Amino acid sequence: MANQQTDSLAESSTTPPIITTKPVVTASARPRTFLGRNLQEWLPTIVGIASILVVGGLWELAGQLKMIDSFVLSWPSKFIPELFKIIGSGQLATDLAVSGLEFLGGFALSLLGIPLGLAIGKWRVLEWILDPYIAVMNALPLVALVPLLVVMFGLGIASKIAIIFLLAFFTIVISTAAGVKTTDPSLIKAARSFGGSEFQIFQKVIIPSSVPFIIAGLRLAVGKALIGVVIGELLASTQGIGYSLRSAAELFRTANFFANLLVLAIFAVFFNWVLTVLEKRLAPWKD
Amino acid sequence: MEPNIQLKDISLVYMTRNGERVDAITNLSADIYPGEFVSIVGPSGCGKSTLIQLIDGLLKPTTGTVTVNNRRVTGPSPDRAVVFQDFALMPWRDVNRNVLLGPELRGKTGAFRQKALDTLRMVGLRGFERKFPYQLSGGMKQRAAIARALTNEPEILLMDEPFAAVDAQMREIMQEELIRIWQATGKTVLFITHSIDEAIYMSTRVLLMSARPGRIIEELKIDLPYPRTLEVKNSPRYFEYRSHVWDHLKNEVHKVYDTQAS
Ligand SMILES: Nc1ncnc2c1ncn2[C@@H]1O[C@H](COP(=O)(O)OP(=O)(O)OP(=O)(O)O)[C@@H](O)[C@H]1O
Ligand SMILES: [Mg+2]
């Protein structure tokens, strides 16, 4: 057996190799960069923008060719000027101020879900006590509470903050608690072995390991909070983007409706982007 | 001489979540003396990692006592450090901060900075201080875990298959390095391995464990001089030890295999 191996080794060194390797040709010695990023890394962004331009162009074309009923739908050359109009008139600024305040107020309050989630994940008794309520609040379509919240807090900002808080809070509680509970037991074991106290284990193992879950919760919560903003304003308000959307639709000002929708989309994408950056900074080990 | 680690008739029963009992270790006794390099070899699942955790104080024996330096073990202590089988490095800490975990938890990070750099150099990880575990290969993670244990300056080093993930060349270098550290510091080393060769090559004594529930079924003093050169490795004595261990282990491995097959 050993002999055979040496034989075949000897053989392979005398017979010419079957595969002749060609020298690898590299595109360029130094990778070209733009704004500190490799040109390769820009490719997804470039393709994404091209895609928007193409689809937007086709949309515009369909509009120009009268394939779209301007009564129910709009197209870029109609709603983009409309966007500039609401910027110029100051309507957008007032809407954004109101909706933004509601969003930030409700979302900031819902961050209280992080400490509560940590506590629930840590103390099982607390989980047993609170679980029924959290389960109900998570399963219930909370927007059903909007009429009640309007009765309680009025037509103004407060009722919107309340619904945003409710929507975002329980989402954050649930994912934070899940983060605590999925902490790798062997990391806890290691910290204990090296002399960590219960408090140190919580501070130095459980919290950092929950960070990706907390951020995932925040991401979901942003989506829910935006739903809260819009639903709250659609149902009962006198100001804000949701209100503008409703009045545009009621007055059949389709282009104006689309302009406001575009603002909302930019808003949502922006907050998601913020959280993506945050995640990369705080949890670089998760991909 | 007084034993450093005394295991008196220990048993450990795991209770699983669905109420099943797993007898991991039954009536195991052993004495380990200061400065010994003891390897434990046994079939997979026989309770080796459990034994390490019992000695460290992470687990309490169901019956029997674990004594270290004449004191009954009730929990972990800085005189013992574990190199865990699964490394257990914190993914959010870079290598340097992982290695300094022990000192940090005792509020002594500053005093151990230089020590951490020294041990990192020793395990060949100098220059990787700022890297995170996800940026390291399996072998590098394992070396980081070894550096973390050594940085804490334990008197007793509990190593759970510490070289399982390193490649053959690195393994040889690390084996020699560990022997060197052991000889230079006089630490007591308890070393778990799957490799019979490694156990004989490294140790002053080899303990063989039975299939689960684990007991010590055989104890073999390795009377070979250090450093264990190629000459020693090729000596008839070495081969005797090897076949002796292998014969005993074969039976146990068969037991595991047969119970799993049935
Ligand atoms: N937390 C636990 N709960 C229940 N059973 C467990 C637990 N930990 C280990 N066991 C069981 O106890 C036995 C011994 O496990 P242990 O990890 O000590 O084995 P080992 O000898 O280290 O195995 P390996 O060589 O594969 O690492 C195994 O049968 C295992 O399934
Ligand atoms: Mg094990």
Side-chain angles (χ1 to χ4, degrees):
Chain A
M1 182 62 200
N3 252 332
Q4 241 174 349
Q5 245 172 13
T6 38
D7 276 0
S8 64
L9 268 176
E11 220 171 67
S12 68
S13 60
T14 49
T15 49
I18 297 159
I19 304 161
T20 52
T21 49
K22 287 185 199 141
V24 181
V25 184
T26 43
S28 62
R30 220 159 12 113
R32 282 190 240 166
T33 57
F34 176 65
L35 290 178
R37 274 211 277 179
N38 212 315
L39 279 189
Q40 274 287 319
E41 290 171 46
W42 280 104
L43 203 61
T45 317
I46 293 166
V47 172
I49 291 170
S51 162
I52 292 175
L53 291 177
V54 169
V55 171
L58 289 175
W59 189 359
E60 179 63 31
L61 193 68
Q64 298 287 350
L65 295 174
K66 303 274 178 261
M67 288 161 73
I68 296 174
D69 182 353
S70 69
F71 192 65
V72 291
L73 275 178
S74 187
W75 53 90
S77 67
K78 292 193 109 183
F79 64 76
I80 289 175
E82 189 66 23
L83 178 62
F84 286 106
K85 212 189 283 171
I86 58 173
I87 293 172
S89 72
Q91 187 218 321
L92 183 67
T94 7
D95 280 354
L96 276 186
V98 172
S99 299
L101 191 65
E102 292 165 355
F103 175 82
L104 291 178
F107 197 73
L109 275 178
S110 72
L111 294 181
L112 288 171
I114 296 175
L116 184 63
L118 290 174
I120 286 174
K122 174 82 184 140
W123 291 294
R124 271 201 295 175
V125 179
L126 195 62
E127 186 193 353
W128 296 335
I129 295 170
L130 295 179
D131 201 46
Y133 312 105
I134 292 171
V136 168
M137 293 307 257
N138 192 43
L140 195 73
L142 287 170
V143 291
L145 296 179
V146 172
L148 179 70
L149 294 171
V150 170
V151 172
M152 287 165 80
F153 297 108
L155 281 175
I157 286 179
S159 57
K160 315 305 176 292
I161 290 184
I163 186 63
I164 292 162
F165 167 77
L166 288 175
L167 281 164
F169 179 74
F170 291 101
T171 308
I172 294 174
V173 170
I174 289 167
S175 45
T176 305
V180 172
K181 282 198 265 181
T182 52
T183 306
D184 182 354
S186 68
L187 295 182
I188 296 179
K189 214 181 258 178
R192 186 164 291 138
S193 170
F194 281 97
S197 64
E198 284 304 306
F199 177 76
Q200 282 177 317
I201 288 170
F202 195 66
Q203 175 199 15
K204 291 177 193 284
V205 181
I206 292 174
I207 292 181
S209 111
S210 308
V211 164
F213 283 82
I214 295 174
I215 293 174
L218 293 181
R219 198 191 287 279
L220 285 174
V222 164
K224 290 205 173 188
L226 285 173
I227 292 175
V229 173
V230 174
I231 295 268
E233 290 177 351
L234 281 180
L235 291 182
S237 75
T238 52
Q239 279 175 307
I241 291 191
Y243 173 77
S244 291
L245 280 170
R246 194 183 69 184
S247 42
E250 281 172 352
L251 300 171
F252 303 110
R253 293 169 56 205
T254 315
N256 183 273
F257 185 92
F258 271 81
N260 279 296
L261 202 58
L262 188 60
V263 171
L264 200 61
I266 292 169
F267 214 68
V269 169
F270 170 74
F271 277 103
N272 248 312
W273 173 79
V274 168
L275 284 166
T276 307
V277 171
L278 203 66
E279 185 165 24
K280 282 221 175 92
R281 286 294 300 272
L282 293 178
W285 68 93
K286 287 266 165 162
D287 256 353
Chain B
M1 198 164 33
E2 286 279 304
N4 211 352
I5 305 170
Q6 267 183 300
L7 307 171
K8 254 194 222 133
D9 229 11
I10 51 171
S11 313
L12 189 112
V13 180
Y14 285 113
M15 291 303 260
T16 62
R17 224 167 281 171
N18 40 27
E20 264 177 89
R21 307 167 43 111
V22 179
D23 287 279
I25 288 179
T26 328
N27 300 330
L28 184 150
S29 294
D31 286 341
I32 291 160
Y33 292 88
E36 270 197 295
F37 194 120
V38 177
S39 284
I40 295 183
V41 185
S44 184
C46 75
K48 302 181 296 294
S49 297
T50 304
L51 185 63
I52 289 259
Q53 293 176 64
L54 283 165
I55 298 170
D56 191 47
L58 286 168
L59 289 173
K60 286 190 178 47
T62 314
T63 61
T65 53
V66 178
T67 316
V68 168
N69 292 336
N70 292 321
R71 289 235 294 275
R72 191 166 167 170
V73 170
T74 54
S77 141
D79 62 7
R80 281 157 277 147
V82 181
V83 178
F84 289 93
Q85 188 170 8
D86 58 358
F87 324 134
L89 299 168
M90 316 278 161
W92 51 87
R93 286 176 170 241
D94 62 18
V95 168
N96 194 47
R97 292 199 57 224
N98 261 298
V99 166
L100 281 164
L101 179 70
E104 180 183 321
L105 292 172
R106 287 184 283 136
K108 293 183 179 162
T109 313
F112 280 80
R113 281 236 154 80
Q114 192 52 46
K115 175 79 190 169
L117 292 181
D118 293 344
T119 30
L120 281 174
R121 181 178 303 114
M122 206 187 63
V123 300
L125 282 179
R126 258 328 281 278
F128 291 92
E129 293 88 352
R130 297 264 157 274
K131 291 273 186 281
F132 287 85
Y134 74 97
Q135 298 167 310
L136 304 179
S137 70
M140 290 162 94
K141 282 184 220 169
Q142 202 148 41
R143 284 182 271 150
I146 294 170
R148 177 173 68 180
L150 287 173
T151 299
N152 215 31
E153 298 189 321
E155 179 192 335
I156 297 168
L157 200 51
L158 306 167
M159 307 181 89
D160 198 348
E161 299 191 35
F163 302 149
V166 297
D167 63 61
Q169 288 79 20
M170 187 45 87
R171 192 177 181 128
E172 244 168 71
I173 293 171
M174 306 258 319
Q175 285 172 344
E176 275 167 32
E177 199 55 45
L178 181 60
I179 292 284
R180 202 189 57 70
I181 295 166
W182 165 68
Q183 288 191 308
T185 58
K187 288 183 200 302
T188 307
V189 179
L190 192 70
F191 186 91
I192 289 174
T193 174
H194 268 137
S195 157
I196 294 171
D197 267 311
E198 189 170 65
I200 297 170
Y201 171 65
M202 305 279 286
S203 331
T204 55
R205 200 149 56 102
V206 176
L207 303 180
L208 284 176
M209 274 179 86
S210 68
R212 189 172 66 81
R215 285 171 301 112
I216 307 287
I217 47 162
E218 176 79 3
E219 182 186 325
L220 194 64
K221 207 161 164 48
I222 308 294
D223 238 334
L224 295 171
Y226 291 92
R228 292 184 175 164
T229 53
L230 208 59
E231 219 172 300
V232 176
K233 274 190 179 175
N234 286 326
S235 65
R237 191 82 162 274
Y238 187 88
F239 281 98
E240 255 169 57
Y241 285 135
R242 209 169 166 268
S243 56
H244 184 91
V245 173
W246 179 228
D247 280 343
H248 275 272
L249 201 60
K250 208 159 50 182
N251 281 330
E252 296 305 317
V253 173
H254 271 299
K255 276 187 214 161
V256 176
Y257 193 81
D258 293 345
T259 49
Q260 276 172 359
S262 65

